[in-house]
Amino acid sequence: MAILTPLDSGASGRRRLALASPATLEPIGEIEIHTAADVDSAVARARKAQVDWAALPISERARFMYRALDVLLARQEDVLKTVIQETGKPRTEALQMEIFAVGDALNYYAKNAAAILKSEKKKLHGLTRFMKRLRIVHRPLGVVGVISPWNGPFVLAMNPVIQALMAGNTAVLKPSEVTPFSGLLVGEIFAEAGLPEDVLQVLTGDGETGAALCRAGVDKVAFTGSVETGRKVAVACAEQLIPCTLELGGKDAMIVCDDANIDYAAAGAVAGAFMNTGQYCCGTERVYVVESVADAFTEKVVERVAQLRQGAEGEFDVGAIFWPRQLEIIEEHMADARSRGARILAGGRRNPDLEGLFYEPTVVVDVDHTMQLMREETFGPILPIMRVANEEEAIERANDSDYGLGGSVWTRDNAKGVRIAQRMDSGSICVNDMTMTYGVQEAPFGGRKASGIGQVNGETGLRGYCHAEPILVDRRGGKMSEGRYPYSVKSDAGLQKFIQFLWGTSLGRWLS
Ligand code: NAD
């Protein structure tokens, strides 16, 4: 478990916290809680630095990303060690979710940001095209506040920072107080890459520091975390009249159709539910399997789950629960499900062979939507499977949720998979894979319903760190202005005749 111990204030007068690793319970360091005054001065410095940063050609900004990529490759082991120490996740997951995904993002945005953000000439419609030229310029917003969670402590801090910087903004990052060292590494990597001073600043702290950042005069907040905190961030941003993206929790549904490849679907369900010990926003938290294949599917899932190795050291597949707060939620959801008649086919308890917070990979059947397990985010290694009569019922059940982040459909018929995906009220859907759209740079990623507001990543995400400014140029150097006055009854009548011609005749409609 992550252990946080409040300490006496140091010489600086700031509150301090001591942290211990969830994997080894060894102390891993202390952090200072930066105050509102610290945040204000960081934002002021970021605003000054932004002028020169935005003036750099985008190819120059890209050069810093490539250098950061070199540093990341050189310091891979440091990042892995820090992430594993802070979260207790298996090395393979740290490699895939943190190093691979960040390497891909640095390379992708360095390579593609110029094309995505280049100014565009837009053809105008109708008669306006004879009078005006339109160009749309993507201008940086200014200073972006990035607030990140603990479950992907490196990637979920890095990814918004890369996009904010490539778009010409400066950034102030406030990583989770329970995984601050992964966040500090983001700052170190860019500093080693030679990023100019104050273009990126990392401030450690807790909710107070995060709240101060939302109110420190930043031009946008990129927030990833829980629904509860997301609402507070949304209120703060609304009061400041600044935009935000909110990447929040989920309760992803997986639909298994009667024509699915059952081996693949079972493997996908296991990976979807137990990756990151189920502690990731797009974890598979509900499975709806069509009656005719339900037994075969469930049997294969249970077989696979039996082979998973849980642990903290050496080679293992499923790690620890991050902290007691999460374990309490898991145990509450499981107790509620049991009391309402759910059956447990695997796991269903804390792992008796391991010290620390280990909950066994768990498969639950006979579940229904009265249970917390099917309605609230569990964020643990629990896979509930519900039988449904057919695909229609599966879609209806999948959509019966307050959340709408990701989800998946399993079928041998891709066209049918896409049709079903289009009827699921979710931010993104995968056909024949566990939800992994966050890792696909071109895919805009964001939740619907309680799962969030706005989208990150790809063209949409990168442009979201800019204001799209239309610049309209008069083709005749402004001559038209001369004829605006005086107003007269005669000219009004002329305009009305023209309106009548334009949209009251087929020639007019064709021209306009
Ligand atoms: P959290 O909301 O507790 O904390 C997230 C961050 O917000 C932390 O840095 C925290 O210090 C900060 N914070 C706390 N109070 C604040 C306030 N009032 N104002 C501003 N910032 C404040 O979330 P968590 O427990 O760290 O993360 C787990 C949650 O994140 C889960 O619900 C998970 O589903 C979600 N998540 C979503 C995505 C996504 O992309 N949609 C990705 C990962 C995690």
Side-chain angles (χ1 to χ4, degrees):
M1 81 192 117
I3 301 177
L4 272 178
T5 317
L7 300 170
D8 291 340
S9 304
S12 66
R14 297 184 186 104
R15 284 190 293 124
R16 290 185 307 139
L17 292 173
L19 278 119
S21 164
T24 60
L25 306 185
E26 295 291 321
I28 54 175
E30 295 174 11
I31 57 162
E32 276 192 337
I33 304 298
H34 284 90
T35 63
D38 296 329
V39 175
D40 287 347
S41 66
V43 170
R45 286 196 300 276
R47 190 161 300 289
K48 271 196 189 147
Q50 198 262 338
V51 178
D52 289 344
W53 178 248
L56 285 182
I58 205 157
S59 55
E60 281 295 311
R61 284 183 233 142
R63 263 224 276 262
F64 289 103
M65 300 299 138
Y66 285 128
R67 278 190 223 148
L69 185 51
D70 290 338
V71 179
L72 173 69
L73 294 179
R75 296 196 54 186
Q76 230 182 108
E77 286 304 324
D78 280 352
V79 178
L80 285 171
K81 187 172 157 234
T82 304
V83 166
I84 292 168
Q85 221 177 27
E86 283 191 319
T87 64
K89 66 173 79 180
R91 185 180 163 88
T92 309
E93 286 174 3
L95 260 172
Q96 291 172 350
M97 288 176 67
E98 313 275 350
I99 306 283
F100 186 92
V102 169
D104 193 38
L106 281 165
N107 191 51
Y108 174 81
Y109 290 105
K111 224 179 190 174
N112 294 290
I116 295 172
L117 297 180
K118 75 171 189 300
S119 72
E120 307 160 82
K121 284 184 190 160
K122 283 271 182 203
K123 274 196 177 157
L124 298 178
H125 77 287
L127 298 177
T128 326
R129 69 178 178 269
F130 300 117
M131 294 180 271
K132 306 284 176 195
R133 280 197 193 97
L134 175 63
R135 175 178 289 272
I136 295 184
V137 179
H138 299 280
R139 298 186 54 194
L141 295 173
V143 182
V144 175
V146 176
I147 301 175
S148 56
W150 55 263
N151 65 328
F154 185 65
V155 62
L156 295 173
M158 258 288 188
N159 210 8
V161 164
I162 294 167
Q163 293 173 45
L165 298 191
M166 275 312 295
N169 305 281
T170 49
V172 178
L173 164 66
K174 206 298 285 171
S176 169
E177 62 273 34
V178 280
T179 52
F181 299 108
S182 299
L184 287 167
L185 269 175
V186 172
E188 278 179 35
I189 285 172
F190 276 113
E192 270 185 49
L195 197 72
E197 208 173 342
D198 296 333
V199 168
L200 169 66
Q201 296 168 75
V202 184
L203 293 185
T204 53
D206 55 14
E208 241 177 82
T209 317
L213 182 54
C214 297
R215 294 178 184 278
V218 293
D219 300 287
K220 173 171 180 161
V221 174
F223 173 82
T224 313
S226 65
V227 175
E228 195 189 347
T229 313
R231 275 188 217 283
K232 292 181 193 160
V233 171
V235 168
C237 290
E239 282 172 1
Q240 310 292 303
L241 290 180
I242 55 168
C244 58
T245 49
L246 303 176
E247 296 299 324
L248 311 179
K251 189 78 196 164
D252 286 8
M254 166 178 184
I255 293 180
V256 185
C257 301
D258 57 3
D259 65 342
N261 178 315
I262 297 300
D263 285 307
Y264 295 168
V270 171
F274 303 121
M275 199 176 90
N276 222 34
T277 321
Q279 302 168 121
Y280 80 110
C281 55
C282 290
T284 302
E285 295 223 356
R286 299 176 287 153
V287 176
Y288 301 100
V289 55
V290 169
E291 186 73 54
S292 54
V293 292
D295 286 338
F297 170 80
T298 308
E299 206 172 291
K300 284 180 192 292
V301 165
V302 172
E303 269 169 29
R304 283 182 178 273
V305 170
Q307 287 160 22
L308 294 175
R309 300 158 302 171
Q310 194 164 33
E313 278 168 49
E315 286 188 347
F316 62 96
D317 309 306
V318 181
I321 302 303
F322 184 68
W323 53 359
R325 198 191 289 181
Q326 209 56 52
L327 187 66
E328 275 167 29
I329 296 172
I330 294 166
E331 291 190 323
E332 183 188 324
H333 288 191
M334 287 298 295
D336 173 69
R338 270 199 190 93
S339 74
R340 293 172 192 272
R343 272 189 308 129
I344 287 128
L345 301 187
R349 57 176 187 171
R350 281 179 74 165
N351 191 324
D353 303 325
L354 294 169
E355 259 184 60
L357 296 187
F358 289 89
Y359 199 90
E360 288 183 341
T362 295
V363 181
V364 192
V365 292
D366 296 347
V367 290
D368 64 46
H369 279 212
T370 64
M371 299 173 184
Q372 285 172 298
L373 199 53
M374 296 299 275
R375 307 207 69 88
E376 296 168 21
E377 187 180 49
T378 309
F379 227 56
I382 316 292
L383 180 57
I385 302 174
M386 183 170 179
R387 286 165 183 261
V388 288
N390 49 39
E391 286 147 14
E392 280 306 309
E393 187 189 345
I395 297 169
E396 204 178 295
R397 298 270 181 200
N399 288 341
D400 177 24
S401 176
D402 293 339
Y403 293 98
L405 191 58
S408 63
V409 184
W410 296 74
T411 166
R412 282 191 168 87
D413 178 349
N414 282 345
K416 180 171 88 176
V418 171
R419 280 198 303 278
I420 293 177
Q422 289 181 65
R423 294 178 58 198
M424 290 170 74
D425 302 336
S426 219
S428 64
I429 299 288
C430 289
V431 176
N432 294 328
D433 205 346
M434 53 187 279
T435 307
M436 55 164 297
T437 29
Y438 191 88
V440 174
Q441 306 300 343
E442 289 83 352
F445 182 88
R448 296 173 68 184
K449 302 193 258 184
S451 292
I453 293 178
Q455 289 177 307
V456 297
N457 300 349
E459 186 176 304
T460 313
L462 191 60
R463 287 186 175 177
Y465 288 101
C466 294
H467 174 74
E469 180 180 287
I471 300 178
L472 201 58
V473 179
D474 189 73
R475 284 178 179 270
R476 293 190 298 162
K479 190 166 173 49
M480 211 181 143
S481 303
E482 270 190 335
R484 290 201 184 272
Y485 295 108
Y487 294 155
S488 71
V489 173
K490 193 177 162 200
S491 62
D492 286 354
L495 181 57
Q496 279 187 303
K497 264 194 195 156
F498 184 59
I499 288 170
Q500 188 56 34
F501 162 72
L502 215 48
W503 295 302
T505 67
S506 39
L507 174 63
R509 285 188 190 189
W510 179 75
L511 277 172
S512 59

